[in-house]
Amino acid sequence: MDTKPWRERVRLEEELLEQLQAQVSQAAKRRAAALAEGVAELGSVYKVAQDLGKSWTAVDNAIKKNGPAAADPTTTP
């Protein structure tokens, strides 16, 4: 049986974890954008949450945490 040394296995698993974390982050941003689109279509976070069978706080927090960053008022002309 040809087993890689433990240091090599740890390094490979750390690389995999980094890739997975990047994918989770990207998926969360896409989900937040879709939720924000739902808010624009339905008119409120509450209506989106009701449509999806989720709490309004879960939807609101997902949008706030992963949605597009608000414009910085100090740099906006």
Side-chain angles (χ1 to χ4, degrees), residues 41-72:
E41 179 182 316
L42 298 180
S44 73
V45 170
Y46 175 78
K47 288 180 182 177
V48 171
Q50 188 176 29
D51 188 77
L52 296 174
K54 305 219 179 263
S55 72
W56 74 269
T57 54
V59 173
D60 191 52
N61 288 338
I63 293 170
K64 286 179 181 175
K65 181 177 179 186
N66 300 297
D72 183 356

Side-chain angles (χ1 to χ4, degrees), residues 69-77:
D72 183 356
T74 61
T75 60
T76 306

